[in-house]
Amino acid sequence: MSNTRIERDSMGELHVPEQALYGAQTQRAVDNFPISHQRMPAQFIRALILAKAAAAKANVELKQLSESQGKAIVDAAQGLLEGDYMQHFPVDIFQTGSGTSSNMNANEVIATLASRLLGEPVNPNDHVNCGQSSNDIIPTTIHVSAALGLHEQLLPALVHLVQVIERKAVQVHPFIKTGRTHLMDAMPVRMSQVLEGWAQQLKANIGHLQDLLPSLQSLAQGGTAVGTGINAHPQFAAGFSRQLSNLTQVQFTPGKNLFALIGSQDTAVAVSGQLKAIAVTLMKIANDLRWMNSGPLAGLGEIELEGLQPGSSIMPGKVNPVIPEATAMVAAQVIGNDTTITVAGQSGNFELNVMLPIIAQNLLSSIELLANSSRLLADKAITSFKVNEPKLKEALSRNPILVTALNPIIGYQKAAEIAKTAYKQGRPVIDVALEHTDLSRSQLEILLDPEKLTAGGV
């Protein structure tokens, strides 16, 4: 075969692309798994490369590698991260359930680069993989990549969304709208109260996510094949976590029980469950925006979202709520990702979970999707929407449910009769109440004042 070279592993010889940095085991995975043509996520590969650098540093400290070997491995890893490293990682997501193919992909690529730097052979298994097994490095990489994704992407995006909502709540505080339950008219609320409700949902989600970080930052590294730590130095787990913490500026710790962290993916399942909860919150906010924006003539028309693009290829002038729609689709995808992770989490058979790559893919996908859509929702929907005050006032003036405020004075039954009459005749409830009660207009204006009915604030 032209433009190839011969590489060897424990199973024999294999043709590998001539310029490829990887070796035989990576090529076998490429040949064996032409399934989705999707590579492992870049965030996962980045975390795996960082883990290899941390392992090398720890092994030098523990005298398991020479200083020159360790430096070559670290320099090779850092060089990869400074360039287009994904071109060297072609292994499909749907591969061996332990992720061994991706682990060996990293080992081979780093070994090739380290050998060039050192001027002598650096072995993928004996040196780059020293003190490690795919069975602990891949679960570790799932935790590390997810933790970095939360710290660097999702948590800052959610905080930004909360801040934008709270600023908007101050701006729209003077506006009062018809509240709705069951999509039907209900008692009035301030626009600010609606938005503060969204903000509080998000704050609760942020808190729940932060509560999971200590578990996520607890690592399986040091357990090697089945959790016993065979072939790893007794201090390797502690040294690895310390070095990785220095490299990432995120505090990682050795797991309290490595058998649990290798045999299960309960933490990933828990994190995914919280990501699903965030998706549910974003779906609620997106749909509230869509309903309030609906119309503009035949819908609620309470707000006007920023027009971002033409909404129809056939209906001129139509503009759609594209950012809330995209956010709702993200929410649906994240909920689906969580289902996959739930099923995959059940595949912790005895001492190893065997669906690790798909857990990594779906977990990191959910983090990235939620982070990106949260920023878009903040910056292209919530920040810029305008309130249609005349529409709000028109609906409020005709809202029969305002009569609820009269219940303590005239009773539920009498109030119901007034509401039904006002609705049937299409008249303001205050006019009907004036005819059916002994209350004066001035009394009714005070009792039915929408501003007072919202408790006067957020």
Side-chain angles (χ1 to χ4, degrees), residues 8 38 51 59 62 82 103 108 111 117 149 179 184 210 220 281 305 310 312 318 334 336 340 363 367 378 400 406 428:
R8 296 171 181 80
Q38 298 178 66
N59 279 319
L62 298 169
E82 291 169 2
N103 182 37
E108 290 176 342
L117 291 169
M184 305 297 286
Q210 289 172 331
T281 295
L305 291 168
S312 173
K318 194 171 189 294
V334 170
T340 298
L363 196 62
I367 290 170
L406 304 182

Side-chain angles (χ1 to χ4, degrees), residues 157-314:
L158 292 175
V159 169
H160 174 67
L161 178 55
V162 168
Q163 291 171 342
V164 168
I165 291 173
E166 290 182 332
R167 284 198 299 269
K168 192 70 173 183
V170 173
Q171 295 172 15
V172 301
H173 179 73
F175 301 110
I176 300 172
K177 68 185 290 290
T178 300
R180 291 179 181 84
T181 59
H182 303 269
L183 295 181
M184 305 297 286
D185 296 343
M187 292 300 291
V189 294
R190 286 187 178 272
M191 287 287 290
S192 57
Q193 292 172 323
V194 174
L195 270 66
E196 285 292 348
W198 299 345
Q200 185 53 47
Q201 284 184 269
L202 290 165
K203 287 178 181 178
N205 281 316
I206 290 170
H208 296 324
L209 208 52
Q210 289 172 331
D211 289 343
L212 288 168
L213 285 174
S215 295
L216 195 59
Q217 291 164 210
S218 176
L219 305 179
Q221 204 59 51
T224 63
V226 294
T228 60
I230 184 72
N231 292 349
H233 190 283
Q235 299 303 313
F236 178 68
F240 174 88
S241 290
R242 184 176 64 256
Q243 295 292 349
L244 187 63
S245 298
N246 291 337
L247 287 171
T248 61
Q249 301 304 302
V250 173
Q251 187 61 45
F252 292 101
T253 59
K256 293 181 180 179
N257 188 299
L258 303 184
F259 296 97
L261 290 171
I262 294 174
S264 77
Q265 280 295 305
D266 290 353
T267 297
V269 172
V271 172
S272 178
Q274 184 52 47
L275 297 177
K276 178 178 71 173
I278 295 168
V280 169
T281 295
L282 292 184
M283 180 80 85
K284 185 260 195 296
I285 295 171
N287 282 333
D288 281 357
L289 288 167
R290 291 175 60 234
W291 277 106
M292 287 192 291
N293 180 75
S294 62
L297 300 179
L300 298 181
E302 294 177 341
I303 65 171
E304 180 185 346
L305 291 168
E306 178 184 356
L308 296 173
Q309 64 187 57
S312 173
S313 61
I314 190 172

Side-chain angles (χ1 to χ4, degrees), residues 4 13 16 25 46 51 55 87 105 178 184-185 188 204 235 239 250 253-254 261 278 302 316 328 355 369-371 412:
T4 63
E13 294 185 348
V16 174
Q25 291 202 44
R46 172 197 173 208
Q87 64 180 304
N105 189 176
T178 300
M184 305 297 286
D185 296 343
Q235 299 303 313
V250 173
T253 59
L261 290 171
I278 295 168
E302 294 177 341
M355 288 196 183
L369 289 171
L370 290 171
Y412 181 92

